[in-house]
Amino acid sequence: MTTAFSERTETSAATGEFDLEDRHALRRVAGLSTELTDVTEVEYRALRLERVVLIGVWSDGTLTTAENSLRELSRLAETAGSVVLDALIQRRGRVDPATYVGSGKAAELAGIVAASAADTVICDGELSPSQLRRLESVVKVKVIDRTALILDIFAQHAKSREGKAQVELAQLQYMLPRLRGWGESLSRQAGGRVAGGGGIGTRGPGETKIETDRRRIRTRISKLRGEIADMSTGRQVQRGRRRQNAVPSVVIAGYTNAGKSSLLNRLTGAGVLVEDALFATLDPTVRRAETPAGRAFTLTDTVGFVRHLPHQLVDSFRSTLEEAAEADLILHVVDGSDADPQAQLAAVRGVLAEVGASQVPELVVINKIDDADPVDLKALELKERGSVLVSAKTGEGLDKLRDALEQALPDRDLPVRVTVPYSRGDLVARVHSAGEVTHAEHGPDGTLLEARVPPDLAAELKQYAVVRLSAHAFAAAY
């Protein structure tokens, strides 16, 4: 058994390493452009993130919060494969409706872009199509916002069929109001037989090129939603089977790069991809685990969250995120070494509330304690009562986490004391496999069992029940 588990763990770990190698092999190469060469038609503007300058607007909160947000944007840009050259923050009551930042700051930004030879500006917020166009006209390079950057990272990291479909859906929803082209290519109209030279009397208003592309995008969005709904049915069936077998479900949720996948590997030997980058995990991974007492449960690794997670992604990944809404327990992992872990907790809880998971019991796990300041850890632990401190890297605190998991798991099993006839050996086998047997002995009328079993099995055993519970069974049950 141990040998088989070790071999399986080694195989899983090797799979994770291969996934990491594949991902690094697909990183963008500096100096290679991904812009379309033919811009006479629609310019879909594939991202080229090589040399970037960041810009943010500080409209509320503290300066520290604004700096942390810009620092996170820098990590996002680096994860996408770019080099961050400079960053600016402007203090404003609200973002400028025309160019996101004021005209003076936009001119200053243009000077920095020209001096540093940057080719992209990334804004720490979601910009309207008009803001993108006007800011680009000032800085003379491509401008993208935080949403487009996150979507680009998701597109790089998606591997499964469902993950790719979810990312494509989010990208199309973002792209639809932002379609634009060059010159008059998107305003040409042709109706009737004019394209074939029909002449006078055959012309009509027709449909502009941009209207055609919008129609095609809407059609594709509708098709993707149908495909995602069909693929989510399989996950619902699997969840239903686990519930029939009374297997508790635990979902690992948390901020991106908080160490969720590392924790899953530590607890189950799953060997999933682990990378020090944002949004390394997009496809949920489900593994079987056991408490110290031997009780089985499933552990699901989910996509990480981030501040201002694009609503397109929440909508597209709703079928995946609903895994948390239907769980018995959420293992909320937070990076204890982060500059603002409370903001991480708030951002994750906001998304969980949006998908209907705010009522699910939560166990906060403060990770990366080997790299965190002890004073900050103590303050966080006092704010999050009942939390567990661990290090998925060193293994510190994992035994306490397993014990806390066992205490937090819901107890849906019922105590029974039954005498099962020897002709129903199948029931005895089910009690041993699906329940927890505390006492068993063979008598003249059958097998006497004292155990805790799932409700459906308890209903089948009711006809063989022995009314009185022994002191041994009572103590074990309660």
Side-chain angles (χ1 to χ4, degrees):
M1 181 68 72
T2 304
T3 304
F5 177 78
S6 300
E7 291 176 353
R8 185 168 66 252
T9 302
E10 291 174 2
T11 302
S12 300
T15 302
E17 291 176 3
F18 291 146
D19 290 342
L20 187 59
E21 290 178 4
D22 291 343
R23 178 169 296 177
H24 286 170
L26 294 173
R27 287 287 186 230
R28 289 182 169 83
V29 180
L32 293 184
S33 171
T34 57
E35 292 284 3
L36 297 177
T37 55
D38 181 9
V39 291
T40 58
E41 297 297 329
V42 177
E43 185 200 11
Y44 285 110
R45 302 173 59 81
L47 295 183
R48 182 189 64 187
L49 302 176
E50 292 130 3
R51 297 169 59 82
V52 304
V53 175
L54 311 180
I55 179 71
V57 172
W58 170 27
S59 58
D60 56 13
T62 64
L63 177 60
T64 301
T65 302
E67 289 176 343
N68 288 339
S69 182
L70 205 61
R71 191 175 294 111
E72 180 178 88
L73 185 69
S74 175
R75 289 213 61 198
L76 287 168
E78 291 169 355
T79 299
S82 64
V83 177
V84 178
L85 303 178
D86 207 342
L88 295 87
I89 296 179
Q90 183 182 32
R91 177 66 163 134
R92 291 180 62 90
R94 62 186 181 90
V95 298
D96 187 89
T99 56
Y100 180 67
V101 292
S103 57
K105 183 62 69 172
E108 179 186 347
L109 177 63
I112 294 175
V113 167
S116 60
D119 52 42
T120 305
V121 170
I122 306 179
C123 299
D124 192 17
E126 184 167 338
L127 274 63
S128 67
S130 62
Q131 286 174 324
L132 284 171
R133 286 194 298 271
R134 289 172 180 171
L135 188 56
E136 278 188 348
S137 66
V138 175
V139 299
K140 307 302 182 183
V141 295
K142 179 171 46 183
V143 176
I144 66 169
D145 57 17
R146 185 186 183 96
T147 299
L149 176 60
I150 293 176
L151 289 173
D152 184 69
I153 296 171
F154 270 57
Q156 291 185 54
H157 292 183
K159 290 186 61 178
S160 69
R161 178 168 168 259
E162 184 176 12
K164 291 178 179 178
Q166 289 168 327
V167 172
E168 183 182 356
L169 174 59
Q171 288 178 317
L172 291 176
Q173 288 175 323
Y174 174 81
M175 182 192 301
L176 186 59
R178 293 172 173 81
L179 274 182
R180 50 181 165 159
W182 290 79
E184 300 178 353
S185 63
L186 296 186
S187 61
R188 292 196 298 264
Q189 294 178 327
R193 289 176 292 167
V194 68
I200 297 174
T202 63
R203 299 181 180 90
E207 185 179 41
T208 63
K209 183 67 169 63
I210 196 167
E211 287 171 347
T212 303
D213 286 293
R214 283 174 179 161
R215 175 170 50 81
R216 289 173 178 171
I217 288 177
R218 290 190 186 100
T219 302
R220 180 61 179 163
I221 286 175
S222 178
K223 182 179 179 181
L224 284 171
R225 281 178 172 158
E227 291 178 357
I228 292 171
D230 292 339
M231 287 183 280
S232 67
T233 303
R235 190 181 299 108
Q236 293 173 359
V237 170
Q238 292 175 349
R239 284 199 296 261
R241 288 174 179 171
R242 292 198 295 266
R243 291 199 172 276
Q244 286 180 355
N245 295 328
V247 179
S249 171
V250 179
V251 166
I252 303 178
Y255 212 75
T256 180
N257 206 37
K260 299 182 297 299
S261 298
S262 298
L263 195 61
L264 177 72
N265 289 343
R266 277 284 187 175
L267 293 174
T268 66
V272 298
L273 183 147
V274 174
E275 183 181 9
D276 184 19
L278 306 186
F279 300 116
T281 301
L282 292 188
D283 303 314
T285 302
V286 182
R287 291 292 184 270
R288 184 182 183 276
E290 290 185 353
T291 65
R295 187 180 181 192
F297 64 95
T298 60
L299 201 58
T300 305
D301 187 16
T302 60
V303 60
F305 303 142
V306 72
R307 297 178 187 90
H308 314 301
L309 189 67
H311 64 88
Q312 296 96 338
L313 282 174
V314 176
D315 180 47
S316 302
F317 279 76
R318 186 169 296 276
S319 62
T320 301
L321 296 174
E322 283 174 353
E323 191 87 29
E326 299 189 21
D328 296 297
L329 177 68
I330 293 177
L331 215 60
H332 188 163
V333 183
V334 60
D335 183 356
S337 64
D338 187 75
D340 192 2
Q342 286 294 332
Q344 287 193 1
L345 289 165
V348 173
R349 285 167 178 160
V351 178
L352 290 175
E354 193 173 342
V355 297
S358 57
Q359 302 302 317
V360 179
E362 176 190 69
L363 175 60
V364 176
V365 181
I366 303 174
N367 191 24
K368 303 187 182 182
I369 60 174
D370 57 302
D371 195 33
D373 182 85
V375 177
D376 294 338
L377 277 179
K378 190 63 179 178
L380 182 60
E381 188 179 15
L382 289 174
K383 289 181 180 178
E384 297 296 330
R385 297 287 183 178
S387 58
V388 182
L389 275 64
V390 303
S391 171
K393 181 179 180 180
T394 65
E396 182 181 354
L398 289 181
D399 290 337
K400 291 183 179 179
L401 175 58
R402 292 187 179 96
D403 292 337
L405 262 173
E406 188 163 32
Q407 295 296 322
L409 283 178
D411 196 355
R412 294 196 299 265
D413 292 350
L414 301 175
V416 296
R417 187 172 191 261
V418 295
T419 299
V420 183
Y422 290 119
S423 60
R424 295 301 309 272
D426 59 316
L427 281 179
V428 176
R430 285 179 59 192
V431 171
H432 280 278
S433 62
E436 181 182 351
V437 178
T438 57
H439 180 70
E441 63 178 73
H442 299 289
D445 300 324
T447 304
L448 175 65
L449 295 174
E450 295 174 356
R452 295 189 71 95
V453 295
D456 57 337
L457 183 54
E460 290 189 52
L461 294 169
K462 187 176 181 180
Q463 57 183 316
Y464 307 117
V466 178
V467 177
R468 183 183 61 82
L469 276 175
S470 67
H472 170 77
F474 186 87
Y478 300 100

